[in-house]
Amino acid sequence: MPKITALTAQKGNKDRINVFVDDEFFCGISLDSAVRFRVVADKEMTDEELSLLLAESGENELYVRALDYILKSPRTEREITRYLYRRDASPETATRIIKRLKTMNYINDEAYAKMFAEQKSGKLGISKIRTKLFGRGIDLNLIEQSLDIVEDETQEDLARRVADKFLRNRERDHITMQKLYRHLATKGFDFDLCGKIVEEFKKQDEEKMEEYMDKWQEYRRAKDEAKQKKAELRELRRKLMEDE
């Protein structure tokens, strides 16, 4: 019967060991797996036990890689599942790894959705946030719960900033305002909010135009008055010269 003849620590990874069977390298496993499978030196193993140990070795490696992937940036359950499938994990293996990661709270779609909504609420509209979360596999109920933290006032302020940036150095005619509406919509803002912001900027332009016209008329009046005074002075000068 095959026997475990040696166990050695892996270089660069203190949490894994190399298993030697009949004086030949057999596989590498985690210390956790070694404890669960009661892997000790001089222990005889059946072919079935060795097969399970070998399967555990590959699964654990995938688990470590998935964990590294998560630690680089938070991921959803769907993202990790796709990651595992791209590395040829079977559905059964992927399910077990996902379960381990969820147990350790490395995967938490509810927390992910809230964090994402908080981070993006100052950059994107609610519809865009909802679409992105849905694309990452977040449950619809969790999406709506996460969006409850996004205040309407914050969205309005953001929409105004986006609109102001879009209109900068653009002529604010009817066509530009139509483009502004579409631009806001593509950023994920609610259609009613898009219309409200466009109307606000239209009103601002109208008020600026009225203010401009008032100043222009005031300027024209002042210019006409100056012209009239000059004419009166010329007339007065002419009369004085005649009297001389």
Side-chain angles (χ1 to χ4, degrees), residues 217-230:
Q217 290 175 1
E218 184 179 344
Y219 167 76
R220 291 299 305 175
R221 284 195 298 271
K223 191 173 183 180
D224 290 342
E225 288 176 0
K227 186 177 180 180
Q228 180 63 29
K229 287 181 179 180
K230 285 183 178 180

Side-chain angles (χ1 to χ4, degrees), residues 36-236:
R36 287 192 290 111
F37 282 85
R38 297 178 182 177
V39 176
V40 294
D42 297 327
K43 179 181 179 180
E44 293 184 340
M45 305 281 286
T46 65
D47 290 339
E48 183 179 357
E49 288 175 327
L50 288 176
S51 295
L52 290 173
L53 192 63
L54 190 62
E56 176 73 9
S57 171
E59 182 174 314
N60 195 68
E61 183 178 348
L62 280 174
Y63 173 82
V64 172
R65 294 178 69 176
L67 183 58
D68 288 340
Y69 184 58
I70 292 173
L71 293 177
K72 291 178 181 178
S73 179
R75 313 286 178 178
T76 65
E77 181 175 342
R78 175 183 287 182
E79 289 175 317
I80 294 300
T81 301
R82 288 176 173 174
Y83 175 85
L84 292 170
Y85 284 163
R86 289 198 300 270
R87 278 145 187 81
D88 299 322
S90 66
E92 295 78 13
T93 297
T95 298
R96 287 194 296 270
I97 292 175
I98 291 294
K99 184 178 180 180
R100 290 174 64 184
L101 291 169
K102 291 174 74 173
T103 300
M104 299 299 294
N105 205 36
Y106 287 119
I107 294 178
N108 187 327
D109 281 1
E110 181 178 358
Y112 180 96
K114 290 180 179 179
M115 176 198 68
F116 187 90
E118 288 177 349
Q119 290 180 344
K120 300 299 182 181
S121 62
K123 301 176 182 178
L124 301 173
I126 288 179
S127 297
K128 198 75 169 184
I129 296 174
R130 182 183 289 110
T131 300
K132 286 184 173 293
L133 285 173
F134 184 75
R136 286 164 170 75
I138 301 296
D139 179 79
L140 288 175
N141 289 330
L142 292 181
I143 292 175
E144 295 310 316
Q145 289 175 20
S146 69
L147 292 177
D148 287 342
I149 66 175
V150 181
E151 299 178 0
D152 291 338
E153 183 177 353
T154 302
Q155 285 285 289
E156 284 194 24
D157 291 341
L158 175 59
R160 290 189 185 97
R161 291 199 300 272
V162 172
D164 185 62
K165 183 177 180 180
F166 177 83
L167 292 173
R168 203 169 298 159
N169 300 323
R170 279 187 168 93
E171 184 178 350
R172 300 188 180 188
D173 54 18
H174 180 67
I175 294 177
T176 301
M177 289 303 176
Q178 288 181 331
K179 290 181 178 179
L180 172 61
Y181 183 94
R182 291 195 294 269
H183 179 70
L184 291 171
T186 59
K187 290 293 183 180
F189 294 107
D190 180 82
F191 291 145
D192 290 339
L193 179 56
C194 293
K196 178 180 178 180
I197 297 301
V198 170
E199 289 303 317
E200 282 186 7
F201 276 86
K202 282 183 178 179
K203 186 176 180 180
Q204 288 179 10
D205 289 342
E206 290 172 357
E207 291 175 349
K208 287 181 180 178
M209 181 57 71
E210 289 178 0
E211 183 181 354
Y212 170 79
M213 291 303 298
D214 288 342
K215 289 183 177 180
W216 172 252
Q217 290 175 1
E218 184 179 344
Y219 167 76
R220 291 299 305 175
R221 284 195 298 271
K223 191 173 183 180
D224 290 342
E225 288 176 0
K227 186 177 180 180
Q228 180 63 29
K229 287 181 179 180
K230 285 183 178 180
E232 291 175 356
L233 287 173
R234 285 197 299 270
E235 180 62 20
L236 179 59

